[in-house]
Amino acid sequence: MEFFPLFLRLEGERCLIIGGGQVAARKAELLLKANAQVVIVAPEVGPDIAALEAEHSVQILHRSFVDEDLDGCRIVIAATADGELNHHVAVTAGERNILINVVDDPKACSFIMPAILDRSPIVAAISSGGTSPLLARALRARLESLIPTSYGRLARLAGDFRDTVKARLPSGLARRHFWEQVLEGSIAELVHGGREAEAREQLQQAIEQPTDTPTGEVYLVGAGPGDPDLLTFRALRLMQKADVVLHDRLVSPAVLELVRRDAERIYVGKARACHALRQQEINTLLVKLAREGKRALRLKGGDPFIFGRGGEEIETLAENGIPFQVVPGITAASGCSAYAGIPLTHRNHAQSCVFVTGHLKDGNVNLAWERLVARDQTLVFYMSLVGLPIIARKLVEYGLPEDTPAALIEQGTTPRQRVLEGTLTTLPEIAEQAEVHAPTLLIVGGVVKLRERLHWFEGADRNPT
Ligand code: SAH
């Protein structure tokens, strides 16, 4: 290890930066985050430094560096384009035992700046020892996606209760178990979900009455339309944490692949008209699993609150006092439209966009057709494959032109995505000929035509999966 990692307290400490360019400005911004007293010396400063002066209590000395500038400094950063000056600063600072960093010259440095992941008070620093700062930044980006911003809040909460827990549970082992349950369980999830006051209340209760039985909980998670890249960070984290997962046909195999390997998998069906488990049974099963102390993941295609019956599932959970959280997902309309090159709204073609269910009831689609045929509006029909001919006919009957563009997107965002394009008159026939497989989404409106203008065609490598 050429450089030893440490975390340095810089609050109120004089930190000198020599140089007035962009690099100097970036370093100054970082030091300001640690509440350092930043002094910049440079005969001329660029716009980034000038902006800092306006916003922060940064002292800027508009002149050349003199050795006395080092007086009282904790650290110095030489960030000028003048190699000789940088060298002189390094030597002088070294003689005085002041920590010195020379930008882009690791050999002249007594310390180097890492790539920083800031979830204060949790901070991770990554260094490549000066060999490849870009690689260190790439690794930081990976960590960014793994560690939610809420970890900082969780650490603060733990810090606030640390002494109280210590007094209440003198045994080190008991304390460890207690904190494991808090930091991995439902209290932590409350913090991650932004419900900190509730988390504090529950933690207080848990301290007063510690129990050994973990409380189960339910995660109602939107899994997006198919491409696993469209999952949210939170969805992925909960998928890795669950003990048991309930999934249905809409959740793609590629997404299911990312659920914790040893989690129990329960298929709850829900193909059209062939429900493996009825909705009420799913609701009850979720309650039962949570009561057994399990972390139950209910994975829903798209977004749980858009034609997903998520509302009904959480109603049962709420009635039974089961802790739960809902994680939004990319709904089919967003995913399919983006991957098919059809913007859902457009200044010239669509000022509104309506999501509609095209589900058949008694062989018919009953909708407020007069409102759907409004001008310059995009219509997105979910569950509309069987009803397509009726929908197309009704829209024309209620006033939409026969040549209104329409597209049917089959298995959107997956490697099997197909887009069938036509008009309200031609699309039902085109779909019939094409042997379409569910799930499909129907988009109606002028925006469908934009696909051509955007030179979108099947197989274009815009969204490699
Ligand atoms: N909650 C889901 C919708 C569930 S309703 C969401 O937010 O997306 C089921 C309907 O969603 C299907 O009938 C189909 O119309 C649509 N759908 C879901 N995934 C799709 C996909 N990958 N491609 C096309 N349509 C999809």
Side-chain angles (χ1 to χ4, degrees):
M1 213 191 300
E2 195 181 349
F3 290 93
F4 188 80
L6 331 138
F7 292 91
L8 194 63
R9 191 186 294 283
L10 282 184
E11 185 167 1
E13 298 280 359
R14 178 179 164 95
C15 299
L16 182 70
I17 298 175
I18 302 149
Q22 236 178 35
V23 179
R26 294 290 93 78
K27 305 284 179 198
E29 280 165 8
L30 287 174
L31 294 174
L32 285 168
K33 283 194 182 163
N35 297 319
Q37 182 210 330
V38 176
V39 180
I40 296 171
V41 52
E44 278 164 35
V45 299
D48 293 356
I49 298 267
L52 275 180
E53 187 173 33
E55 280 179 38
H56 295 276
S57 53
V58 180
Q59 190 188 353
I60 301 184
L61 307 172
H62 297 266
R63 58 164 172 73
S64 299
F65 166 80
V66 292
D67 289 357
E68 288 69 38
D69 289 333
L70 294 174
D71 292 349
C73 278
R74 170 66 81 198
I75 67 172
V76 182
I77 297 175
T80 75
D82 177 346
E84 232 168 83
L85 173 59
N86 286 351
H87 179 72
H88 169 75
V89 175
V91 172
T92 320
E95 283 164 0
R96 297 187 183 196
N97 257 336
I98 300 171
L99 293 173
I100 166 81
N101 175 274
V102 181
V103 166
D104 278 340
D105 187 0
K107 288 284 167 238
C109 293
S110 63
F111 79 94
I112 51 176
M113 299 277 260
I116 299 170
L117 174 88
D118 186 4
R119 302 279 189 267
S120 286
I122 305 256
V123 175
I126 301 168
S127 158
S128 64
T131 54
S132 172
L134 205 71
L135 189 62
R137 286 205 288 272
L139 284 174
R140 188 224 3 237
R142 284 209 196 172
L143 287 182
E144 295 262 6
S145 63
L146 287 177
I147 305 174
T149 47
S150 48
Y151 265 85
R153 297 200 300 272
L154 187 58
R156 270 197 297 279
L157 177 81
D160 290 349
F161 282 86
R162 203 177 145 156
D163 290 343
T164 324
V165 172
K166 203 166 177 180
R168 174 87 188 167
L169 299 170
S171 136
L173 188 65
R175 257 198 329 269
R176 208 185 82 209
H177 283 171
F178 177 83
W179 278 121
E180 268 171 11
Q181 268 200 32
V182 170
L183 298 175
E184 287 289 310
S186 55
I187 293 178
E189 284 310 328
L190 284 173
V191 176
H192 294 315
R195 291 150 69 186
E196 218 166 314
E198 278 169 79
R200 277 176 189 273
E201 229 168 77
Q202 287 195 16
L203 183 50
Q204 188 65 50
Q205 270 172 24
I207 292 169
E208 281 156 25
Q209 301 159 322
T211 75
D212 271 346
T213 37
T215 39
E217 53 188 330
V218 174
Y219 314 136
L220 186 59
V221 172
D227 183 350
D229 274 4
L230 296 180
L231 285 169
T232 61
F233 292 146
R234 192 191 294 185
L236 189 59
R237 187 171 58 76
L238 296 176
M239 286 161 70
Q240 305 268 322
K241 198 169 161 183
D243 301 309
V244 46
V245 51
L246 282 70
H247 62 100
D248 53 49
R249 240 171 62 118
L250 271 185
V251 176
S252 74
V255 167
L256 212 52
E257 197 47 29
L258 298 173
V259 174
R260 213 178 87 191
R261 289 255 165 263
D262 50 353
E264 185 189 345
R265 286 159 164 74
I266 304 178
Y267 177 70
V268 293
K270 285 272 209 91
R272 225 183 69 82
C274 125
H275 299 213
L277 276 187
R278 294 229 314 279
Q279 187 63 50
Q280 188 51 44
E281 289 169 327
I282 297 176
N283 303 353
T284 325
L285 180 59
L286 285 171
V287 173
K288 179 172 160 280
L289 291 167
R291 289 239 165 94
E292 288 167 6
K294 295 197 173 125
R295 297 169 185 149
L297 172 76
R298 173 69 173 113
L299 260 190
K300 314 276 295 185
D303 181 280
F305 280 180
I306 295 182
F307 305 126
R309 304 189 76 169
E312 294 165 49
E313 289 177 17
I314 59 173
E315 207 174 300
T316 316
L317 297 172
E319 277 166 15
N320 287 275
I322 306 287
F324 65 85
Q325 57 174 302
V326 182
V327 181
I330 294 201
T331 188
S334 301
C336 294
S337 67
Y339 279 47
I342 303 172
L344 290 179
T345 66
H346 189 281
R347 262 156 54 111
N348 303 332
H349 303 278
Q351 278 75 48
S352 61
C353 172
V354 185
F355 294 177
V356 197
T357 163
H359 195 63
L360 291 181
K361 253 191 194 148
D362 309 323
N364 220 329
V365 186
N366 299 313
L367 292 166
W369 298 104
E370 60 286 354
R371 266 187 281 152
L372 296 182
V373 297
R375 268 190 50 221
D376 296 336
Q377 176 163 271
T378 305
L379 302 173
V380 182
F381 288 91
Y382 288 68
M383 297 168 277
S384 52
L385 184 55
V386 181
L388 174 60
I390 304 177
I391 293 167
R393 205 181 57 235
K394 283 280 186 192
L395 289 174
V396 172
E397 195 181 306
Y398 277 80
L400 277 190
E402 285 183 352
D403 61 353
T404 305
L408 194 71
I409 299 155
E410 176 187 12
Q411 308 195 358
T413 81
T414 75
R416 289 176 306 282
Q417 169 173 309
R418 270 202 302 173
V419 182
L420 306 176
E421 242 186 281
T423 64
L424 284 179
T425 330
T426 61
L427 192 61
E429 175 67 21
I430 293 172
E432 171 112 30
Q433 297 299 321
E435 274 190 49
V436 181
H437 299 283
T440 64
L441 194 79
L442 171 65
I443 304 183
V444 178
V447 288
V448 170
K449 272 281 169 229
L450 291 169
R451 233 170 100 74
E452 250 166 53
R453 285 247 304 272
L454 299 169
H455 303 289
W456 216 274
F457 57 91
E458 265 358 272
D461 199 13
R462 287 191 182 82
N463 295 298
T465 42

